[in-house]
Amino acid sequence: MSGDSVNMYGGTNNTGIIKNQYSGPAQPAPQALLESIEELSCLLQELREQVAPATVQVIDDSLPVITSQASAPQERHRALIAVATIAATVGALGQPVVEAVNRVLGLLGAL
């Protein structure tokens, strides 16, 4: 370079990179992920019988986000962390849920 500087503030005919996060139609989830989510869903149904009503509400709010392939990755991650936190607070009873959440997170590439 010859020491010229480029000023992108103002001017005309500026070009740059346009980043588009749309990745096309949703791809079908791998079978292992679907099976892990189904297992987690069953475990959460069992866990909800063992926790307080306010905690049941968090599980009920999180479950559709976890099971829907249309959920945004960040939303699904938050829901998974929420139910894993609940499961961790109930000790040994919640351990299978924590393990199932970790499997799902691993399959999603979020671990």
Side-chain angles (χ1 to χ4, degrees):
M1 297 205 103
S2 63
D4 294 337
S5 64
V6 177
N7 183 358
M8 291 301 291
Y9 298 101
T12 59
N13 297 324
N14 293 328
T15 58
I17 299 172
I18 298 173
K19 294 185 178 182
N20 186 351
Q21 294 184 355
Y22 177 70
S23 62
Q27 300 297 314
Q31 188 63 29
L33 177 59
L34 294 174
E35 290 170 359
S36 294
I37 289 173
E38 179 64 28
E39 177 189 1
L40 176 58
S41 179
C42 291
L43 291 168
L44 287 171
Q45 292 300 331
E46 293 173 14
L47 182 64
R48 67 187 302 281
E49 297 172 9
Q50 308 295 321
V51 296
T55 304
V56 168
Q57 187 62 50
V58 174
I59 293 171
D60 290 348
D61 291 346
S62 299
L63 200 51
V65 176
I66 293 168
T67 59
S68 173
Q69 289 186 40
S71 296
Q74 305 91 332
E75 305 251 336
R76 185 179 259 180
H77 186 264
R78 264 186 289 244
L80 287 163
I81 296 302
V83 297
T85 301
I86 291 167
T89 63
V90 296
L93 179 67
Q95 189 58 37
V97 173
V98 173
E99 292 169 4
V101 166
N102 286 334
R103 271 193 302 280
V104 171
L105 287 170
L107 290 168
L108 290 172
L111 276 182

